[in-house]
Amino acid sequence: MTTTAAAASARAITSHPTRSAAAASRSALKALILRDLVVLRKHFWEFLVRTLIQPFLLVFVFLYVFPKIGQGIGPAHSNSGPAAARAESAFATVLVPGVVAISIMFQGIQAVALQMATEFGYTREIEDRVQAPCPIWLVAVAKVLSGAVQGLLAAVIVFPIAAVVHASGDQAHLSVHWLIVVTLIPLACVAMTSLGLLLGTTFEPRNIGLMFGFVVLPLTFLGGTYYQWTKLAPVTVGGVHWLQILVLINPLIYVTEGMRAGLTHASHMHLYIIYPVLIGFCAVFLATGLRNFRRRVLI
């Protein structure tokens, strides 16, 4: 074989990537998210039932059943008449944004943490995911983003239900502030799915029940779902507003207060506090969750 022929043959078998690593990673990310959304579409009715059941029961019991049986929520001196109706409507106004917020949180935990528990558990499905042509951390980011989409759908589905289920005369007084809604809800969805990533990579699959007992329940009851943060000031010890301070470590309180700012005229925490703190929680949850995810995958 001549030198010219050998050089031509070497050029013929030399291969070059058809796209960059960044482009390949973007394609893999899109494929991972699309895969989760296709699974969601196939199991949409299951998603709908698990999304609606808790918020529906909350508003049904508190805003429909309680007023009907004379146990409406309100001040002790407002047992009947117009004063009671005003108190119950005020509670409805507070509860509806809280229900939307808690739906976002639960969806984030269910879509990411519970899925992680399954995939790191007996199915070991995560081993197939990490073989995608992208960095390991991108697999976790895809899970967070697909979970955020589910959280957004949950908010869109739950809000109309929470707004219309109530006894006669006990409706919530809602006023949608669209700039807050369209910016806060996506941020809240990513923050809660990042929390789901952190929980799903921290708790072992066999201990997932402990996660609900020691993390999810305290977050729920101290997250402002049923009350406003601004109304906690009277709870003091030695002049210190201890409960109002304590709940500030709860990420859900910022989501519920933000929802009240976006959906009502009720008093709420300042937005210049809500947005930066939620972004901070999101960054911490995501960074820690990604580190834990990489460690769990490489074990």
Side-chain angles (χ1 to χ4, degrees), residues 203-264:
F203 286 86
E204 294 291 335
R206 65 179 180 274
N207 295 327
I208 205 69
L210 295 177
M211 179 189 75
F212 281 92
F214 289 96
V215 179
V216 177
L217 281 180
L219 289 179
T220 301
F221 286 102
L222 297 176
T225 303
Y226 314 101
Y227 50 83
Q228 297 153 270
W229 178 80
T230 54
K231 301 296 185 181
L232 295 177
V235 184
T236 62
V237 173
V240 177
H241 308 287
W242 67 271
L243 186 57
Q244 198 172 40
I245 296 171
L246 177 65
V247 299
L248 292 177
I249 65 174
N250 186 345
L252 182 61
I253 196 75
Y254 302 95
V255 181
T256 55
E257 289 293 294
M259 290 296 101
R260 290 191 182 102
L263 300 176
T264 73

Side-chain angles (χ1 to χ4, degrees), residues 26-81:
R26 286 195 299 269
S27 297
L29 177 63
K30 292 177 183 178
L32 288 168
I33 295 174
L34 182 61
R35 182 262 182 196
D36 287 338
L37 295 181
V38 169
V39 172
L40 174 64
R41 186 183 65 182
K42 290 182 177 180
H43 299 89
F44 182 75
W45 290 110
E46 296 176 18
F47 165 79
L48 190 64
V49 170
R50 76 167 185 259
T51 299
L52 285 180
I53 188 66
Q54 185 187 40
F56 174 77
L57 288 176
L58 280 176
V59 295
F60 177 72
V61 170
F62 284 117
L63 303 184
Y64 184 81
V65 176
F66 274 23
K68 288 291 187 181
I69 64 177
Q71 294 184 7
I73 305 297
H77 63 272
S78 301
N79 293 323
S80 62

